[in-house]
């Protein structure tokens, strides 16, 4: 299976640069994974495709202001840092630019020394491990010094920071938003629950694993970076009951999929647990946890296109993406939505 098999034509003007004024006003492509039938709707119509007893699983991670700009203390060289994952004891996995300037022992200063970071380990592809040095509460310092880490294909300034957060974001730790959830409003979620759909949450802190491009020719040679996940007992009980009663489990976003499939692959059931996942889902994978998926439109040749192709079949996904391009759907983080049922 070649990475190029997951390439497709995407005009640059379809890459959404800003969010719509109304979260739930986006277009909504509905794909039947069995028949390949496609419908064009609007996101608020999602309620028509949900039935009482369905379980909707949201990722409640919250994006932190993870992009920092600092200077290397020895030379005053400019360094950009994207904080990816808290590994404990104030040591963070980060992505540095330019990485060649950051070696073991390098000290980077942010905000005139309000936050400092010493490099403790050097990895490939710009990855470094930094020991953070500061007084006070780290998240408050990041709120002051950091910026929202918008993806590199977004060139417009984000006017409202909360538009890169879901309305249910709670657990801080992500370097990117679980973008499938950006379409939901509190009012829409209330209407969904009033219809008898059960809404529950998992946490996966989105790091490099989700959005790093695939740079190998053979899909199976790609290695995912690990990301932290957590499932509560309450969520595990809801999901196990749904499985027992043959009710649908509908994942909101690929990050929720990766959490659910990781847990059930490890334990054969859902249970309260935390850990780090490197799960890579591509065609040939047999889904054990989910029945349907709400997702955005993803980058060509990305692990996310591979994941949705595993669920619906590559040919059906490529056909749906061609339809989306034809109907001028907006792509990527601030783009339109898709339901694979």
């Amino acid at each position: 299976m070649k990475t190029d098999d997951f390439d497709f034509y995407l005009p640059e003007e379809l890459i959404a640069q800003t969010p719509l004024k109304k979260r739930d006003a986006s277009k909504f492509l509905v794909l039947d994974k069995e028949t390949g039938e496609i419908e064009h709707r609007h996101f608020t119509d999602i309620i028509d495709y949900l039935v009482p007893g369905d379980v909707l699983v949201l990722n409640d991670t919250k994006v932190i202001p993870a992009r920092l700009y600092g200077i290397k203390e020895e030379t005053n060289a400019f360094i950009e840092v994207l904080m990816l994952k808290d590994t404990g004891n104030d040591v963070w996995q980060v992505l540095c630019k330019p990485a060649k300037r950051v070696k073991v022992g390098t000290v980077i200063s942010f905000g005139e020394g309000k936050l400092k970071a010493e490099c403790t380990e050097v990895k490939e592809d710009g990855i470094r491990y930094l020991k953070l040095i500061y007084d006070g509460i780290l998240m408050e310092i990041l709120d002051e010094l950091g910026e929202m880490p918008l993806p590199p294909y977004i060139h417009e300034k984000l006017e409202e920071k909360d538009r890169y957060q879901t309305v249910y974001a709670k657990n801080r730790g992500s370097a990117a938003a679980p973008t499938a959830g950006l379409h939901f409003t509190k009012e829409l979620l209330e209407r969904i629950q009033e219809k008898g759909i059960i809404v529950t949450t998992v946490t996966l802190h989105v790091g490099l694993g989700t959005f790093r491009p695939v740079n190998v020719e053979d899909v199976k040679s790609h290695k995912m970076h690990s990301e932290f996940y957590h499932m509560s007992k309450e969520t595990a009980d809801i999901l196990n009951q749904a499985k027992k009663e043959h009710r649908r489990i509908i994942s909101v976003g690929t990050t929720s999929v990766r959490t659910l499939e990781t847990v059930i692959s490890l334990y054969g059931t859902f249970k309260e647990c935390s850990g780090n996942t490197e799960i890579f889902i591509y065609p040939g994978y047999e889904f054990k946890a989910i029945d349907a998926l709400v997702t955005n439109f993803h980058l060509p040749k990305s692990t996310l296109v591979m994941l949705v192709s595993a669920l619906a079949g590559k040919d059906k996904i490529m056909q749906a993406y061609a339809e989306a391009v034809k109907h001028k759907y907006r792509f990527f983080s601030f783009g339109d939505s898709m339901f694979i049922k």
Side-chain angles (χ1 to χ4, degrees):
M1 198 182 314
K2 303 297 182 192
T3 301
D4 284 345
D5 295 340
F6 299 90
D7 199 6
F8 59 89
Y9 169 67
L10 179 65
E12 196 171 333
E13 64 266 22
L14 296 185
I15 299 172
Q17 293 296 315
T18 54
L20 295 176
K21 280 192 174 156
K22 287 184 66 185
R23 283 180 183 265
D24 57 5
S26 54
K27 293 178 184 177
F28 189 54
L29 186 148
V30 181
L31 172 65
D32 187 315
K33 65 180 184 288
E34 304 303 328
T35 66
E37 182 188 352
I38 291 168
E39 298 174 74
H40 298 285
R41 305 288 294 269
H42 286 92
F43 192 77
T44 47
D45 299 328
I46 189 173
I47 199 161
D48 298 339
Y49 295 89
L50 304 175
V51 298
D54 281 347
V55 180
L56 202 62
V57 186
L58 315 174
N59 180 6
D60 66 4
T61 189
K62 191 168 188 176
V63 186
I64 60 173
R67 181 166 277 123
L68 292 162
Y69 301 98
I71 57 167
K72 183 174 170 179
E73 285 204 334
E74 307 97 281
T75 63
N76 280 343
F78 178 82
I79 307 287
E80 180 183 332
V81 169
L82 177 62
M83 300 176 69
L84 296 174
K85 188 166 68 172
D86 181 0
T87 64
N89 299 317
D90 282 324
V91 175
W92 280 71
Q93 182 195 66
V94 307
L95 187 63
C96 287
K97 261 189 358 189
K100 63 186 178 192
R101 289 180 177 165
V102 182
K103 300 177 172 61
V104 172
T106 295
V107 177
I108 308 167
S109 177
F110 307 94
E112 298 180 340
K114 190 165 279 190
L115 173 66
K116 292 189 178 186
E118 182 177 356
C119 179
T120 59
E121 196 176 344
V122 170
K123 295 286 191 182
E124 294 178 348
D125 302 325
I127 299 289
R128 301 290 185 267
Y129 285 81
L130 301 183
K131 171 75 173 176
L132 304 184
I133 305 149
Y134 59 92
D135 290 322
I137 298 168
L138 178 60
M139 288 301 162
E140 290 180 359
I141 294 169
L142 291 181
D143 283 337
E144 181 184 342
L145 301 180
E147 287 186 4
M148 274 294 180
L150 293 179
Y153 48 76
I154 292 177
H155 310 298
E156 298 283 330
K157 189 171 172 60
L158 184 62
E159 298 299 332
E160 300 170 65
K161 276 189 181 178
D162 71 336
R163 290 308 305 272
Y164 196 57
Q165 302 278 20
T166 61
V167 296
Y168 47 80
K170 185 172 73 173
N171 294 311
R172 298 180 69 154
S174 262
T179 53
L182 295 177
H183 305 280
F184 286 94
T185 63
K186 286 180 178 174
E187 295 73 22
L188 180 56
L189 283 168
E190 283 170 11
R191 283 176 54 217
I192 286 168
Q193 287 173 295
E194 284 166 6
K195 189 177 175 179
I197 288 91
I198 300 156
V199 177
T200 192
T201 60
V202 292
T203 303
L204 183 133
H205 290 325
V206 188
L208 203 61
T210 297
F211 53 84
R212 184 179 272 296
V214 179
N215 293 321
V216 292
E217 186 181 340
D218 183 357
V219 166
K220 294 175 185 175
S221 301
H222 177 70
K223 181 159 170 41
M224 298 284 280
H225 286 260
S226 72
E227 294 165 313
F228 173 83
Y229 69 87
H230 173 72
M231 178 178 286
S232 69
K233 183 179 186 303
E234 179 188 5
T235 292
D237 290 347
I238 288 168
L239 294 172
N240 284 326
Q241 193 64 29
K243 278 285 180 204
K244 187 177 170 185
E245 296 172 4
H246 304 291
R247 291 185 278 113
R248 285 194 306 176
I249 294 173
I250 301 167
S251 176
V252 175
T254 56
T255 57
S256 298
V257 173
R258 294 178 67 239
T259 305
L260 297 171
E261 294 294 330
T262 293
V263 173
I264 208 162
S265 296
L266 284 173
Y267 304 107
T269 186
F270 297 110
K271 61 176 283 186
E272 181 179 13
C273 59
S274 299
N276 290 290
T277 181
E278 297 176 0
I279 192 169
F280 180 21
I281 296 173
Y282 52 85
Y285 179 86
E286 287 189 24
F287 287 85
K288 308 165 197 71
I290 71 157
D291 302 291
L293 171 64
V294 180
T295 186
N296 279 19
F297 292 90
H298 306 295
L299 279 78
K301 300 198 283 190
S302 65
T303 61
L304 305 179
V305 164
M306 294 169 191
L307 186 153
V308 295
S309 295
L311 182 62
K314 184 175 78 70
D315 291 345
K316 292 190 184 87
I317 288 295
M318 289 302 157
Q319 186 183 351
Y321 272 51
E323 274 282 297
V325 168
K326 180 181 162 187
H327 287 84
K328 297 197 180 322
Y329 276 65
R330 305 166 76 226
F331 275 67
F332 308 164
S333 295
F334 289 138
D336 292 316
S337 184
M338 178 182 194
F339 184 42
I340 302 174
K341 66 171 187 168

